[in-house]
Amino acid sequence: MIIAESLTRRFGSTTALDGFDLDVPAGTVHGLLGPNGAGKTTAVRILTTLLRPDAGRARVAGHDVVREADRVRARIGLVGQQAAVDEQLTGRQNLEMFGRLHHLGAATARRRARDLLDRFDLAEAADRPAGKYSGGMRRRLDLAAGLLTDPVVLFLDEPTAGLDPRGRAEVWRTIRSLAADGTTVLLTTQYLEEADQLADALAVIDHGRVVAAGTSDELKGRLADDRLDVVVRDPERLGEAAALLARVGDGEPRVDPDRRLASVPVRDRVAALTEVARQLTTNGVEAEDIGVRRPTLDEVFLAITARSAA
Amino acid sequence: MTTYWMISDSWTLTQRTLRHWRNQPAQLVLNLLFPVMVLLMFAYLFGGAIEVPGGGDYREYLLPGMFALTMAFGLEGTYTAVAADAQRGVTDRFRTMPISAASVVTGRSLADMLDAAVGLGVLLACGLAVGWRAHHGIMDALAAVGLLLLLRYALLWLGIWLALAAGKPETLMAVQILVWPLGFLSSVFTSPETMPGWLGTIARWNPLSATADATRQLFGNPGETGPAWPAIVWPLVLLIVFVPLAVRRYRRLT
């Protein structure tokens, strides 16, 4: 549904995109993850026809974003980093205006506006100016505006940036229900948890190119080892536990004295866990907690971006 | 079909501004009051101290200048509205919709011309109330109004271009630094004759002076009696320069 091939875009001497490739199948939620300035927004702006690439090609919903920009525009919705609504108009007036500009008839635009206001839980606030809305409400209005024409592909550029946890949860719920209805979604975010929660597949972008792609689990398995954590009862013996982990594990152990925690990456989770438990007992080091866990997406992300910087 | 949608989209965007007025009438009234306040200030506070070249009533001299000044200050409204849209992402939303660049800027310019017409109407009424008159009949008066709206229309494109280039409503201060000297360094309040030589020359060449002076002649008010053609040529020059710049800037927004 979204295909990008070797997209490149320079701004003066900075290269924002440098051979960016992406393939998003229909009906999936795809997360585009990367630090600030990695090129996420530039990629979205090219895919939504707002910006022309210097090189490379992209097709969205079957149409070329440069040569058939109008056809792409008729099939996409974009929700950008700020709520792109007119604050002096009411929620209803905003949706009716954007509906008319999408060339819906007056009656259809009114009906769509009413449906979307209901669906996004904005019916009560429909006739208040959008400027008086909370951040979460404004973002929902923005999302509603992006859905006026039932777009085939929806682009969400950091849709929860600057929202409080409640606003974020509201937006997440909306995105999930859209995905359930079969809309293809490309979501950019800096919040790893967001990508973990929402996306079927991820692409990590750094310095303008995709440096890793796959499902969240694949990336975790492929790019960072599982970790074995031991919490000791007696803080005095934390050093001993760490030394033991260094022998069993596949890397440098990390120690967190405040939590009495020693942690080490391991490849064979079962063997390592059995061995550590046995040795702790043999040496009489009492453990309060012991366990193997998957790396967090943060750890994966740091591992990937550290690699691509090297 | 394309033409139909262009007209329809432009009208939808013009309606947007009418809705702003209806939703925030206080804002509209404040915007209308500002030039009235300046008018009263100059008519009654400073006016007594200002001499009209060649004699005549100062209020008769002042009003055409105020009309032209109000048209120039309209630039600030255009600037604020366009810059706010650009910053809020509303412009980007328009650009991802199947509507043409021409509709977006035409909608803006129509809305601003409506605003200018209302503002000018209020000021004409105030002028009549403080004793100003159009002495040369309705046709000349209408021609004067036409020249004033032409100036507003030309400056509007400068406003759109500046706003798209700067993209931030906070930079309005910078625009005021541009607009206020343009407003005062002209024949709006006093004759350039009374200014030091080089300043007087700048003031005489100011597009605002051209419009103010030409409307003074058309209304039959005292003041400058230069040729009227600069009042048409200046706006045309501004349009030729800034319409393409503004449209190009809109298309190339990044």
Side-chain angles (χ1 to χ4, degrees), chain A residues 283-304:
Chain A
N283 294 310
V285 180
E286 257 189 288
E288 202 170 87
D289 192 13
I290 177 166
V292 183
R293 60 174 174 83
R294 314 238 50 191
T296 62
L297 207 44
D298 287 87
E299 283 161 341
V300 175
F301 185 66
L302 288 172
I304 296 169

Side-chain angles (χ1 to χ4, degrees), chain A residues 84-255:
Chain A
V85 294
D86 185 329
E87 304 203 335
Q88 289 175 270
L89 294 182
T90 67
R92 190 191 308 282
Q93 288 172 333
N94 263 293
L95 292 183
E96 285 178 4
M97 172 182 73
F98 288 126
R100 294 292 283 152
L101 293 174
H102 268 302
H103 300 166
L104 303 179
T108 318
R110 263 200 303 279
R111 199 183 58 241
R112 284 294 290 161
R114 201 175 51 232
D115 292 349
L116 285 163
L117 288 164
D118 282 339
R119 174 164 167 202
F120 285 87
D121 215 8
L122 290 167
E124 242 173 85
D127 297 309
R128 270 190 278 145
K132 300 237 159 72
Y133 285 14
S134 72
M137 288 163 76
R138 217 172 311 172
R139 204 63 70 100
R140 274 182 284 150
L141 181 62
D142 193 41
L143 266 169
L147 294 174
L148 275 161
T149 49
D150 286 321
V152 188
V153 184
L154 185 62
F155 291 87
L156 304 171
D157 191 12
E158 305 200 1
T160 61
L163 287 189
D164 61 17
R166 209 183 114 176
R168 185 169 305 168
E170 289 170 0
V171 172
W172 283 3
R173 205 166 48 233
T174 311
I175 296 173
R176 281 203 193 93
S177 86
L178 285 172
D181 293 346
T183 311
T184 306
V185 178
L186 181 70
L187 165 87
T188 79
T189 182
Q190 310 184 45
Y191 302 116
L192 304 156
E193 194 201 344
E194 185 160 287
D196 219 0
Q197 288 269 339
L198 297 172
D200 299 311
L202 299 174
V204 180
I205 175 173
D206 201 19
H207 303 293
R209 56 169 70 214
V210 173
V211 291
T215 66
S216 159
D217 276 340
E218 278 170 10
L219 289 182
K220 288 174 184 174
R222 197 175 342 139
L223 293 152
D225 292 320
D226 291 344
R227 296 195 76 93
L228 197 158
D229 294 347
V230 173
V231 179
V232 294
R233 183 145 293 161
D234 180 359
E236 298 286 311
R237 311 201 62 174
L238 188 58
E240 228 176 298
L244 193 152
L245 287 180
R247 283 200 300 279
V248 177
D250 301 291
E252 282 296 299
R254 229 175 25 213
V255 176

Side-chain angles (χ1 to χ4, degrees), chain B residues 154-175:
Chain B
L155 288 173
L156 180 146
W157 291 93
L158 170 63
I160 294 179
W161 177 72
L162 281 173
L164 291 177
K168 296 191 209 78
E170 298 85 69
T171 44
L172 178 63
M173 258 325 218
V175 175

Side-chain angles (χ1 to χ4, degrees), chain B residues 122-230:
Chain B
V122 169
L123 214 55
L124 281 164
C126 286
L128 291 171
V130 300
W132 163 85
R133 292 291 177 270
H135 302 284
H136 286 175
I138 188 76
M139 289 321 285
D140 278 12
L142 284 178
V145 167
L147 282 182
L148 289 164
L149 292 176
L150 177 67
L151 177 70
R152 173 77 178 90
Y153 189 70
L155 288 173
L156 180 146
W157 291 93
L158 170 63
I160 294 179
W161 177 72
L162 281 173
L164 291 177
K168 296 191 209 78
E170 298 85 69
T171 44
L172 178 63
M173 258 325 218
V175 175
Q176 286 175 334
I177 289 173
L178 180 89
V179 172
W180 284 65
L182 177 80
F184 285 83
L185 193 51
S186 68
S187 68
V188 165
F189 295 109
T190 53
S191 165
E193 307 283 318
T194 64
M195 302 175 190
W198 60 277
L199 272 181
T201 309
I202 298 177
R204 248 188 299 276
W205 279 97
N206 187 332
L208 236 79
S209 306
T211 301
D213 293 346
T215 47
R216 277 180 185 124
Q217 291 180 43
L218 285 166
F219 284 135
N221 298 137
E224 262 63 38
T225 47
W229 58 265

